[in-house]
């Protein structure tokens, strides 16, 4: 019985501390696996719902599950290959619906945040009970091995998904899928760690990358001349969002003008309601791509809808036969541009004005004009880099031959965005800086501008100051001076009474009253001439009889 009730050996605090790293590493690995499985499960649920709701579902759900894995890999930027084509030649599919990217990025952000919270210093009440208050906090774990375990678990699931889709009608391109999933996961984890850990997050990067970031930071500080880098980022974000909003507005306007054709293509693609839901969901997932294409159209370079075609505000060339897809019905007709298409140049001008507004805010105009120009110029460069990145990921190939090139040219789009915003933003920022400085000077009071009549804080104005020669002092000053004169005359009268008393007489004295002494900075100043103030009664000078 005692063998059953006796407690076995317990782990000391040192053993528990040694066991913590392995447990935390295992938890991080499982977190990466869970994030990947949740993403796959979300796509699988959506695809299986559409497969069940279709009129003629296949006997096995395996193709639907393989398609869901394909979409999950495509959301990371990986390419797909269509094996079942009429010509028998595999055709690539490299256009990533940008709305799909939000799900895996959000899941990776959440699991990375949880893992970094695990690596922080943690409270251990058992150690406090066993070893006293000095061991209440156990040392934290290094974040690098935990993040490495997280990425390992995530990439392990991605490798299994690539192998699972290899036998389906739409298979993942192995090299493209592995590289894109690794890059997306690593970039998301790195940015999340940088945001949560702050400057110490740079220690997770390789030494060469840290040196490059340090050099870039020093160069940016010299170029900004003391302005905070956050001002540049806000200005660039405002300009980029303005360009994307204008592109989305152009897309909606084009679809509204061709609404009948869009509905006809929708019915042609999906005669049943399940197919209509599928096409509508795909259009919604491609809306960010279309907004980037519209922004590239407004900037000038435009985009292509097939090899050898060009769609821009200056004109549209002929393009090959396109699939019946609702988003493609808003393309302009072939021919030269018209004044209506030239009016889209207002979009980059508006983006430049917004960049100038954030680069020359009233509280950021205390530096020189070179600082304001540098902020606007760097913001324009950052806007161009952002638009080039978005244009690169918004296009791709949809097949072979004429369908091998879809979307905007990334370097032309980035160069046009940087040029437009710099050409408009830098002059407008300088003008706004001058206006803000002039407004601030006008809002100042005359005393603040002269700087002579304003007294330091905490200093009292002397009594009687402020009255011109020959004028009576203010009422409060006159009352204080009269009170001082009354006190002085009463003192002189008391002195006279004491001197007039006969020798040997005994004077009755009242109990001594406490003498209240005024502070030197509150004691009123007597008048210079010693004359009593008008309206203040004076005490008699005759001494009282004994």
């Amino acid at each position: 019985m005692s063998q059953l009730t006796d407690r076995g050996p317990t782990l000391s605090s040192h053993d528990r501390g040694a066991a913590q790293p392995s447990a935390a590493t295992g938890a991080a690995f499982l977190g990466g696996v869970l994030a990947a499985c949740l993403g796959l499960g979300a796509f699988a649920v959506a695809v299986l719902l559409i497969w069940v709701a279709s009129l003629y579902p296949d006997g096995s759900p395996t193709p639907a599950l393989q398609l869901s894995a394909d979409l999950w890999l495509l959301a990371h930027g990986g390419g797909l290959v269509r094996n079942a084509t009429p010509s028998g030649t595999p055709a690539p599919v490299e256009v990533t619906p940008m709305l799909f990217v939000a799900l895996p990025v959000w899941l990776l952000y959440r699991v990375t945040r949880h893992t970094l919270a695990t690596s922080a210093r943690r409270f251990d009440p058992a150690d406090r009970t066993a070893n006293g208050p000095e061991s209440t906090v156990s040392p934290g774990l290094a974040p690098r091995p935990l993040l490495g375990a997280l990425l390992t678990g995530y990439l392990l699931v991605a490798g299994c998904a690539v192998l699972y889709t290899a036998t389906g009608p739409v298979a993942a391109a192995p090299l493209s899928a592995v590289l894109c999933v690794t890059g997306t996961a690593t970039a998301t984890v790195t940015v999340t760690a940088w945001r949560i850990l702050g400057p110490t997050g740079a220690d997770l990067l390789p030494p060469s990358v840290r040196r490059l970031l340090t050099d870039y930071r020093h160069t940016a500080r010299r170029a900004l001349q003391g302005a905070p880098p956050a001002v540049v980022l806000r200005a660039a974000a405002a300009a980029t969002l303005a360009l994307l909003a204008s592109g989305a507005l152009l897309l909606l306007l084009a679809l509204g003008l061709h609404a009948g054709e869009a509905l006809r293509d929708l019915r042609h693609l999906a005669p049943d309601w399940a197919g209509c839901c599928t096409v509508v969901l795909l259009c919604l997932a491609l809306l960010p791509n279309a907004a980037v294409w519209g922004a590239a159209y407004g900037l000038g370079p435009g985009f292509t809808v097939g090899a050898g075609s060009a769609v821009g505000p200056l004109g549209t060339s002929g393009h090959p036969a396109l699939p019946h897809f609702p988003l493609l019905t808003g393309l302009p007709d072939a021919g030269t541009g018209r004044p209506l298409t030239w009016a889209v140049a207002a979009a980059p001008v508006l983006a430049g004005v917004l960049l100038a507004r954030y680069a020359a805010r009233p509280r950021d105009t205390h530096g020189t004009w070179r600082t304001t120009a540098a902020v606007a110029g760097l913001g324009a460069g950052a806007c161009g880099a952002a638009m080039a990145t978005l244009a690169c990921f918004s296009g791709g190939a949809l097949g072979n031959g004429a369908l091998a090139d879809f979307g905007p040219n990334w370097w032309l789009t980035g160069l046009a965005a940087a040029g437009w915003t710099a050409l408009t933003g830098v002059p407008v920022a300088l003008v706004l800086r001058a206006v803000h400085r002039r407004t601030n000077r006008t809002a100042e009071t005359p005393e603040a501008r002269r700087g002579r009549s304003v007294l330091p804080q905490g200093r009292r104005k002397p009594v009687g100051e402020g009255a011109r020669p020959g004028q009576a002092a203010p009422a409060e000053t006159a009352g204080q001076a009269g009170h001082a004169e009354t006190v002085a005359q009463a003192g002189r009268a008391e002195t006279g009474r004491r001197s007039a008393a006969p020798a040997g007489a005994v004077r009755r004295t009242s109990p001594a009253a406490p003498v209240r002494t005024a502070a030197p900075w509150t004691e009123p100043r007597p008048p210079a001439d010693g004359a009593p103030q008008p309206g203040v009664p004076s005490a008699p000078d005759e001494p009282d009889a004994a």
Side-chain angles (χ1 to χ4, degrees):
M1 186 67 181
S2 60
Q3 295 177 357
L4 298 177
T5 57
D6 287 344
R7 298 179 59 184
T10 59
L11 288 176
S12 63
S13 61
H14 176 73
D15 296 333
R16 284 194 299 268
Q20 284 178 359
S22 59
T25 304
F29 177 82
L30 292 179
V33 173
L34 179 63
C37 291
L38 286 177
L40 280 170
F43 282 101
V45 168
V47 173
L48 287 176
L49 284 177
I50 295 174
W51 175 75
V52 170
S54 60
L55 293 179
Y56 305 102
D58 296 334
S60 174
T62 301
L65 294 176
Q66 290 176 339
L67 180 60
S68 63
D70 289 329
L71 293 179
W72 183 75
L73 294 173
L74 186 64
H76 294 80
L80 304 179
V81 178
R82 290 189 298 115
N83 296 320
T85 58
S87 62
T89 303
V93 178
E94 298 177 353
V95 178
T96 300
M98 299 181 71
L99 196 60
F100 285 173
V101 183
L103 179 61
V105 168
W106 180 74
L107 290 173
L108 281 169
Y109 167 77
R110 295 289 298 178
V111 72
T112 304
R113 185 175 179 179
H114 177 73
T115 303
L116 292 176
T118 303
S119 67
R121 298 174 64 87
R122 296 174 297 178
F123 182 78
D124 192 356
D127 289 348
R128 180 181 62 182
T129 304
N131 301 327
E134 295 182 357
S135 60
T136 55
V137 178
S138 59
L141 304 175
R144 180 179 293 179
L146 297 182
L147 296 180
L150 186 152
L151 288 175
T152 302
Y154 195 87
L155 296 179
L156 179 62
V157 178
C160 295
V162 172
L163 295 177
Y164 181 69
T165 61
T167 58
V170 180
L175 182 61
S176 174
V178 170
L179 292 179
C180 290
V181 172
T182 304
T184 302
T186 304
T188 305
V189 169
T190 303
V191 173
T192 306
W194 187 285
R195 178 177 177 83
I196 294 177
L197 298 179
T200 59
D203 298 337
L204 303 176
L205 301 175
S208 58
V209 179
R210 289 203 300 268
R211 286 194 296 269
L212 289 176
L213 289 178
T214 302
D215 296 340
Y216 169 75
R217 189 182 300 112
H218 292 334
T219 304
R221 287 178 179 176
R222 287 195 299 268
L224 292 176
Q225 300 179 1
V231 180
V232 178
L233 297 180
R234 282 194 296 264
T240 305
L241 291 177
L243 290 174
L244 295 178
S246 63
L249 185 62
L250 288 176
L251 171 66
L252 295 178
L253 181 61
L255 291 178
L257 295 176
H258 301 82
E261 299 178 8
L263 291 176
R264 185 170 59 251
D265 290 346
L266 180 61
R267 295 192 187 98
H268 177 78
L269 281 176
D272 57 329
W273 68 271
C276 286
C277 292
T278 305
V279 176
V280 169
L281 289 176
L282 185 58
C283 290
L284 291 177
L286 289 170
L287 276 182
N289 302 58
V292 176
W293 291 22
Y297 182 88
L299 288 170
F303 53 89
T304 62
V305 286
S309 63
V311 180
L314 299 180
T316 303
S317 63
H319 49 76
L322 299 175
H324 296 277
F325 194 70
L327 291 181
L328 297 178
T329 57
L331 294 175
D333 299 330
T336 59
R338 294 170 294 179
L340 182 61
T341 60
W342 300 340
V344 298
V349 173
L350 177 61
V353 172
L354 283 177
L355 183 141
R357 179 182 179 274
Y358 281 88
R361 295 187 303 174
R363 61 182 180 182
D364 297 330
T365 56
H366 301 292
T368 62
W369 64 270
R370 293 184 180 87
T371 303
T372 304
V375 170
L378 290 177
C383 175
M387 289 303 302
T389 304
L390 293 175
C392 179
F393 288 103
S394 66
L398 287 178
N400 298 315
L403 300 179
D405 191 9
F406 264 76
N409 188 303
W410 66 270
W411 69 270
L412 284 179
T413 303
L415 186 63
W420 273 104
T421 51
L423 185 64
T424 309
V426 174
V428 175
L430 294 176
V431 171
L432 289 177
R433 176 184 179 274
V435 171
H436 292 326
R437 290 176 65 87
R438 183 178 180 84
T439 304
N440 294 337
R441 286 197 300 267
T442 305
E444 291 179 353
T445 60
E447 292 80 3
R449 288 198 301 268
R450 289 195 299 269
R452 291 192 301 269
S453 60
V454 177
L455 297 175
Q457 186 177 4
R459 176 181 171 185
R460 286 177 176 261
K461 185 178 290 187
V463 177
E465 183 177 337
R468 296 180 181 177
Q471 292 183 352
E476 182 181 359
T477 303
Q480 293 175 353
H483 175 70
E485 181 63 22
T486 302
V487 172
Q489 291 183 4
R492 288 195 296 271
E494 179 66 21
T495 303
R497 285 194 299 269
R498 292 177 181 178
S499 60
V506 179
R507 293 193 303 264
R508 294 184 178 180
T509 59
S510 59
V515 180
R516 185 175 300 173
T517 305
W521 56 84
T522 59
E523 184 177 359
R525 179 185 299 177
D529 52 358
Q533 295 294 330
V536 179
S538 59
D541 293 334
E542 295 81 13
D544 295 339

